[in-house]
Amino acid sequence: MLIVMDVGNTNTVIGVYRDHKLISDWRIRTEKETTADEYGVLLRNLFQSQNLTLQPGMDLAISCVVPPMINTLEKFSRRYLQAKPLMVGPGIKTGMPIYYDNPKEVGADRIVNAVAAYEQVKAAAIVVDFGTATTFDVVSTLGEYLGGLIAPGVMISCEALFQRASKLPRVEIFSKPKHVIAKDTISSMNAGIIYGYAGLVDGIVRRIKEALAEPVKVIATGGLACLIASEAQSIDLVDEYLTLEGLRIIYYRNRGRKEGG
């Protein structure tokens, strides 16, 4: 079995593949101070909850944008899996040319998403990832990573609003607004955030399409993808497992085994 881990600044998403099939997945909070042994205990408990067993010999592929955690995850892998993990980064074979001025600057998760998106649609694609930041990544019809954009994430913007506007209450935004013209403060904030980000996505996607001047598929992923995509007009499909699938693809491209084998 293959374990894949996408370590973001806010959340870590973990998946387990048997051959090409994702059999279990979890989303946990990213804690920079977590030790290798704590990860061992955590994953053992997660595995047991799904009647799985964490054991030596399992493979591990990681994309991580939190540098202090890289050594911790490598120690976890060596101690509990007795294997060196595949860490997506410079020198790793992705199968995708990266046309960035400095390819080392591109977050591992962005490349992983781009690889998975192209494998899925085999055409030009835009990946919108609703994470700590909202990122837009563009892939050409030839499967080349062309670059993209980075905007503040939904939750970052919410936190700034709560902290700077002292009279506004802290609200949960994980629901569709009832009306665009709200009649109370909480509903007004909810509508502003959801419709505001839907408009941001539609506006940026429109500009990217104009720059590409060719047909393109738009794929959304990340924790709030379903909520924003339901209000945005430009998103073609939502794939919450896009990053995990990209990690699986890249793992087999580097370990010399047939994908899904």
Side-chain angles (χ1 to χ4, degrees), residues 19 25 35 44 101 173 175 195 212 219 226 242 258:
D19 297 328
D25 66 277
T35 67
R44 278 179 175 168
D101 289 344
I173 65 164
S175 61
Y195 292 133
L212 286 178
I219 304 173
C226 289
L242 190 72
K258 183 179 179 181

Side-chain angles (χ1 to χ4, degrees), residues 49 94 100 103 145 148 176 186 189 192 203 249:
S49 71
T94 63
Y100 217 64
Y145 181 83
K176 181 179 178 178
I186 291 178
M189 294 170 66
I249 293 168

Side-chain angles (χ1 to χ4, degrees), residues 7-225:
V7 184
N9 287 292
T10 304
N11 293 317
T12 294
V13 183
I14 304 168
V16 181
Y17 279 91
R18 180 178 286 121
D19 297 328
H20 65 280
K21 183 179 180 181
L22 182 66
I23 59 174
S24 287
D25 66 277
W26 306 273
R27 180 181 293 270
I28 62 175
R29 184 179 302 144
T30 298
E31 298 285 358
K32 297 178 183 178
E33 294 79 18
T34 303
T35 67
D37 291 326
E38 287 172 331
Y39 264 109
V41 173
L42 173 62
L43 263 72
R44 278 179 175 168
N45 290 337
L46 291 175
F47 271 55
Q48 288 175 1
S49 71
Q50 298 297 314
N51 295 317
L52 299 171
T53 302
L54 182 73
Q55 58 190 359
M58 288 182 168
D59 298 314
L60 175 62
I62 301 170
S63 66
C64 179
V65 297
V66 187
M69 298 191 64
I70 292 176
N71 288 336
T72 299
L73 294 170
E74 288 181 341
K75 289 179 182 177
F76 155 76
S77 183
R78 292 181 185 276
R79 177 170 295 181
Y80 290 90
L81 305 179
Q82 297 179 11
K84 181 180 179 180
L86 183 137
M87 194 77 63
V88 177
I92 294 298
K93 181 168 63 176
T94 63
M96 175 172 285
I98 301 174
Y99 294 138
Y100 217 64
D101 289 344
N102 183 358
K104 294 181 180 179
E105 290 182 356
V106 188
D109 55 337
R110 298 178 68 186
I111 298 301
V112 169
N113 284 341
V115 168
Y118 186 73
E119 284 300 307
Q120 183 173 147
V121 302
K122 292 295 185 182
I126 301 170
V127 179
V128 187
D129 189 348
F130 295 95
T132 305
T134 300
T135 58
F136 297 76
D137 297 294
V138 185
V139 183
S140 74
T141 54
L142 299 178
E144 306 154 325
Y145 181 83
L146 300 180
L149 301 86
I150 302 174
V154 178
M155 297 310 300
I156 287 179
S157 296
C158 290
E159 286 298 321
L161 181 63
F162 301 150
Q163 292 175 12
R164 294 287 183 171
S166 57
K167 293 188 68 174
L168 294 180
R170 182 177 295 272
V171 299
E172 293 290 342
I173 65 164
F174 304 107
S175 61
K176 181 179 178 178
K178 295 179 180 179
H179 200 281
V180 69
I181 304 175
K183 302 296 185 181
D184 60 85
T185 300
I186 291 178
S187 297
S188 296
M189 294 170 66
N190 186 44
I193 292 164
I194 301 302
Y195 292 133
Y197 264 85
L200 178 147
V201 170
D202 287 340
I204 290 179
V205 167
R206 175 180 56 80
R207 289 175 181 270
I208 294 174
K209 286 183 174 180
E210 290 173 355
L212 286 178
E214 61 181 339
V216 59
K217 289 287 187 180
V218 182
I219 304 173
T221 191
L224 294 176

